[in-house]
Structure formats: C-alpha cells, structure tokens
Amino acid sequence: MHMSHRISAFQCSPIRRLSPYARDAVRRGIKVYHLNIGQPDIKTPEQVIKAVRSYDEKIIAYGNSEGRQELREALPSYYEKYGLKVQADDILITTGGSEALQFAFMTLCDPYDEVIIPEPYYTNVASFAHSAMVTLVPVTSKMEDGFALPDISEFEKRISRKTGAILVCSPNNPTGHVYTHDELLQLLQLCERHDIFLIVDEVYREFCYDEKQFTSVLSFPEYADRVICVDSFSKRYSMCGSRIGALISKNKEVLENALKLAQARLCPPDIEQVAACAALDTDDSYLIEVREEYEKRRDFLVEHLQKIEGVKCSTPKGAFYMVAELPVDDAEKFAIFMLKDFNLQGKTVMVAPCEDFYVTEGLGHTQVRIAYVLNTDDLAEAVACIDAGLKAYRSQVLGA
C-alpha cells in the first residue's frame, strides 16, 4: 500500500531510532547507559507527584484550548524572577515545547516558506518543520568556536522573500551554547530590518554554568512584536513525560492565530497542567541544586572525554548536552556497534549520532550528542565504555 510522500520524507529520530538495538542488548543482559536522550535521573519535585495522586475531579473533562487559567495566571510570577513582564494573556499552554514549535511554524509560515536556524540544532525540529511544509535554512556553528552564534552577516545572506523567521535555542540543545545579550540583540535587529520573527526555545534557561547569566529574548520590550518564546516544564522540573509547554508572545495577532491550532487539538492534557501548577511552587533551592549537579556532571564528562585519544569536545555553557567528535568513520555505525557487538564487563553506552542534527549534508558524520543526565558514577562507567569501545571499533571494524 502507498504511504504519503510527506511521511516518506520524514526522518526517524537519531535520538530514538537505535532503541531496538538497546532493547536487544538489555534482553541479552547488558547494562545500557543512556546518553542519547535528555531524560534526567533527577527526581521530580515531590509536590508534583502529590498533585497527580490527589487529582480528585469526578470527570477528566475538556479544558480551555489556551490552557488552564490557573496555570496561565501562575506563570507570570515565575517569569518575574527573571525580571520579565509577562501577562497571562501572553501565554498559550501547549502539549510540550514541541507543540509550541509546531504552532509557531504553522502560524508564521506558508508552505515552502523558510526558517533560518543555526546548526547543529535539536533534530526533531526537522520533523516539526516538515509537517508544516517549512524549509530549514542552516547557518553552521563550529566546535572550535564553542558553537557560538556565527557572524550575523551569514544569517543576512540567507534571508530571502520566503524567510518567515529565525529560530535559535538558548541554552542550546545539542551544543550547550548560551546566547549572549549581544548575540540576541544582533538577531533582533536583523529581524527588524527584514520584518521577520525571532523564535527562541528557552526550555533550559535554568541551566547556565560558570556563573554565566541567562538572557531571555523576552527582555527586549522594543522588539516584543516580533518575538516568540518557547518554554517547557519537562527539563526544568524533571517531568519530561508530562508534556506541558508554552508559547509566549506579546504579539496578539500571533496568539490569536495560534489559538486556532490549539482549538483544533481541543486542549492540552488536564492532569499534567495540575502537576505543572504544583511545580511552580517548587522552592528555588531545588533548581539551584539541580543546576550545580549538572555543572558538576559537565565538568566531569568534559575532563574525562578529553583524555580519550582522538575525542574532541568543547565545554558547554548551559543545558545538559554536548557534541563530541569521535575518531571513527561513521558515528551511527559506531553507536550500533556499541549496542550490538560490544560490552565492557556487561555494560555499554547508547549515544545519538549527530548527522541528522545538521541540515547541511555531510556534516556531523563523525559526531555524537551526549546528554549528561546521569550521575558521575554512571558517567564514569559510560566514559570507560566509550574509551574501550572506540579501541575495539577501530581494531575490529577499521583495522586501525
């Protein structure tokens, strides 16, 4: 039977597509350290779990398409901690940050319009864009520059009559770069000159390291009419499965039109919104401790990876991901080898090959994204597996 051309052109996520190999390894009794996916081992705040357990509605009914009013009215106090003036009416609750990105593409762009994006980027954005029939136009950031924003002239070269927006993620998934005030200002000025939008995914805003200050795109009121901010509860409160996010904008026309999409999908999940309300009551000490823990993990991972012959990586400034260059011929082949043909004393590692984190063909072929979402004891075991696995791969597969 015939499948649609649209779905045939979708890519399987490099974060998840090797999962059958991992499941088979587990069936063979192998311990797999999952560095492929941003699923933290940090405990969800206790009051979030309690809120789910104490949910006592007699009917789980349809809610408002724009989200629970209780949640929308609670969020401005959270943003106020960052000096951001956000109102409930600026917020559309979405089914995760992913849906917020999909809504942004479909609200701002017609089929075959373009969105400019620094690469490497969060690979699932390709699927969101493809479903909206939007073309991603890449500007390549480089490891040797710490994946900082490429020169603004590189963005300007790629603007055409089809350009609807520029999309960045800060702190960045997968590189860990945190965009500075000046970098964001340059992008906003460029967007104003060409009358396009700037979409910024800020779901990792709590996780900035080395005392680096986070700058939100919402802190530029003079550009508010062309700004869309994407947010999520998933990583901040270690509640990835709850799927509650937000699309935030001062541009009322954007929100009114995005609401049409929200109404078409009826409403975001209700119980998870109750959990999100509870998450906002989390003491600030929780996020401080989590940030310190991730910074410790980052330092550990960078130090030990850089000791492995042939491995290159820069030091992430935020989020909990890094891109590592490996001394292999093909990162995906190596990732499969680690799950299918290798183990170190009954243990191995799953990583995400990076080629599909790029639009430009051929880039990322020998890179992997690593999520440092495991404690340092587990990271030590995982790094030992990578070190031994690289030696085995180069000997057995490459004959080196």
Side-chain angles (χ1 to χ4, degrees):
M1 297 177 69
H2 176 71
M3 298 293 110
S4 73
H5 292 298
R6 177 187 287 110
I7 198 63
S8 297
F10 270 64
Q11 65 185 32
C12 293
S13 171
I15 300 168
R16 290 176 176 260
R17 69 173 172 239
L18 304 186
S19 293
Y21 293 101
R23 289 192 293 269
D24 184 62
V26 171
R27 281 193 292 268
R28 290 184 280 113
I30 306 299
K31 166 73 175 176
V32 178
Y33 292 103
H34 285 272
L35 304 181
N36 61 303
I37 194 165
Q39 174 55 65
D41 64 358
I42 303 291
K43 286 188 176 180
T44 306
E46 187 176 346
Q47 72 269 20
V48 174
I49 305 299
K50 286 182 177 177
V52 173
R53 288 174 175 162
S54 61
Y55 185 85
D56 62 355
E57 298 290 341
K58 303 303 180 187
I59 299 173
I60 303 176
Y62 285 131
N64 296 330
S65 295
E66 59 268 43
R68 268 188 172 242
Q69 191 65 21
E70 174 191 4
L71 179 56
R72 293 170 67 233
E73 289 178 352
L75 272 167
S77 295
Y78 161 77
Y79 293 113
E80 183 64 35
K81 295 177 183 179
Y82 289 87
L84 306 175
K85 298 189 181 302
V86 175
Q87 307 298 320
D89 289 346
D90 303 328
I91 302 168
L92 176 66
I93 301 300
T94 57
T95 308
S98 296
E99 187 178 64
L101 286 167
Q102 290 176 314
F103 282 5
F105 282 147
M106 295 183 73
T107 300
L108 303 182
C109 299
D110 285 319
Y112 313 112
D113 277 354
E114 298 173 347
V115 170
I116 300 171
I117 188 168
E119 61 179 359
Y121 63 98
Y122 175 47
T123 180
N124 287 356
V125 170
S127 294
F128 308 151
H130 196 77
S131 64
M133 299 179 70
V134 168
T135 301
L136 295 178
V137 176
V139 180
T140 307
S141 62
K142 299 178 180 179
M143 183 181 293
E144 54 265 35
D145 301 325
F147 295 107
L149 189 77
D151 191 276
I152 204 69
S153 64
E154 295 300 314
F155 287 84
E156 192 141 29
K157 288 177 190 175
R158 290 159 174 80
I159 292 177
S160 72
R161 60 182 180 81
K162 293 184 177 181
T163 305
I166 296 172
L167 167 62
V168 299
C169 176
S170 180
N172 187 270
N173 173 6
T175 69
H177 182 66
V178 179
Y179 290 98
T180 65
H181 178 278
D182 287 347
E183 287 176 325
L184 289 172
L185 181 59
Q186 288 181 65
L187 287 170
L188 286 164
Q189 290 171 339
L190 178 64
C191 289
E192 184 175 56
R193 285 200 300 274
H194 293 275
D195 195 25
I196 58 177
F197 285 86
L198 180 62
I199 309 166
V200 184
D201 179 346
E202 296 186 353
V203 306
Y204 299 96
R205 74 162 59 84
E206 262 75 17
F207 307 135
C208 298
Y209 311 130
D210 306 316
E211 300 183 359
K212 188 173 183 65
Q213 295 300 308
F214 172 74
T215 301
S216 173
V217 73
L218 297 171
S219 64
F220 298 86
E222 64 273 32
Y223 297 100
D225 63 333
R226 65 184 66 258
V227 164
I228 293 176
C229 178
V230 171
D231 207 353
S232 172
F233 285 76
S234 292
K235 309 305 169 75
R236 183 170 303 135
Y237 300 109
S238 195
M239 46 192 293
C240 299
S242 67
R243 313 313 304 140
I244 296 297
L247 185 152
I248 305 157
S249 182
K250 295 287 184 181
N251 187 314
K252 299 306 177 189
E253 187 177 6
V254 167
L255 289 176
E256 287 168 3
N257 282 284
L259 182 58
K260 298 173 187 176
L261 297 166
Q263 290 172 345
R265 63 83 161 103
L266 304 180
C267 65
D270 191 65
I271 298 175
E272 285 83 348
Q273 289 183 82
V274 171
C277 287
L280 291 174
D281 291 330
T282 301
D283 189 85
D284 289 345
S285 62
Y286 171 87
L287 289 170
I288 292 170
E289 290 171 7
V290 172
R291 184 188 70 237
E292 291 174 348
E293 174 64 20
Y294 283 134
E295 187 167 2
K296 181 175 75 172
R297 296 177 183 191
R298 177 207 64 169
D299 293 345
F300 179 92
L301 188 59
V302 170
E303 177 188 354
H304 288 80
L305 281 178
Q306 289 180 341
K307 290 178 180 178
I308 301 175
E309 183 181 359
V311 173
K312 298 176 184 177
C313 65
S314 58
T315 301
K317 296 180 174 65
F320 42 64
Y321 307 98
M322 67 163 60
V323 173
E325 183 85 33
L326 303 182
V328 297
D329 60 330
D330 185 310
E332 181 148 345
K333 283 171 59 180
F334 171 72
I336 293 171
F337 170 84
M338 291 293 288
L339 295 170
K340 185 180 177 184
D341 302 312
F342 172 83
N343 71 85
L344 178 65
Q345 298 175 344
K347 300 170 185 176
T348 193
V349 167
M350 185 175 180
V351 292
C354 268
E355 191 165 16
D356 288 336
F357 287 74
Y358 289 84
V359 178
T360 304
E361 190 173 348
L363 294 184
H365 192 62
T366 57
Q367 294 177 346
V368 294
R369 187 193 75 165
I370 295 175
Y372 45 96
V373 290
L374 306 180
N375 61 69
T376 52
D377 288 341
D378 286 346
L379 286 177
E381 297 280 1
V383 171
C385 288
I386 292 172
D387 189 7
L390 283 169
K391 291 182 175 73
Y393 182 83
R394 295 178 72 185
S395 172
Q396 298 173 28
V397 178
L398 301 182

